[in-house]
Amino acid sequence: MKKESPTKMWNTLRNITLVFILFIFIRYEFDEDPYNDRIGWSVLVVFWISKGLFDAIEDKRKWNKKSMVANIVFVIAGLGVLCWQGIQFFS
């Protein structure tokens, strides 16, 4: 039995996580309750943050610093939007 390489396992974990987050987004976005749309869009922001983090880690492994920095900036912007929406939600 062959042993899977760490990059193949990493890609599998990444894809499963991203698909799971997308399913959560679809569940909240396309139901009858309009209140859940806000939650669905917040989950979509979490999807883009997760994708940015996974891409930044992959770029670090490949020594692609420019792309890594761009992904980190993207993640920080997403976290800012998520915090802003959280503050609006709770106030």
Side-chain angles (χ1 to χ4, degrees):
M1 187 163 188
K2 284 187 177 180
K3 209 174 177 187
E4 288 189 29
S5 67
T7 56
K8 187 173 181 179
M9 289 175 52
W10 174 256
N11 287 337
T12 304
L13 173 70
R14 172 187 172 188
N15 291 336
I16 289 172
T17 303
L18 293 177
V19 167
F20 183 70
I21 292 172
L22 276 178
F23 281 143
I24 293 172
F25 164 72
I26 290 170
R27 180 188 179 279
Y28 278 110
E29 190 62 29
F30 297 111
D31 63 351
E32 286 82 27
D33 189 10
Y35 178 73
N36 286 342
D37 290 348
R38 188 176 204 169
I39 297 171
W41 286 110
S42 297
V43 170
L44 187 64
V45 172
V46 169
F47 168 79
W48 288 110
I49 290 171
S50 302
K51 184 174 179 346
L53 279 174
F54 284 130
D55 289 344
I57 292 170
E58 188 175 328
D59 288 336
K60 185 176 178 351
R61 287 182 184 172
K62 294 180 180 178
W63 295 95
N64 192 355
K65 289 186 180 183
K66 289 181 184 178
S67 181
M68 183 183 73
V69 170
N71 283 322
I72 294 296
V73 168
F74 187 65
V75 167
I76 291 170
L79 287 172
V81 168
L82 203 59
C83 288
W84 172 57
Q85 287 298 317
I87 290 169
Q88 278 190 339
F89 180 74
F90 289 117
S91 63

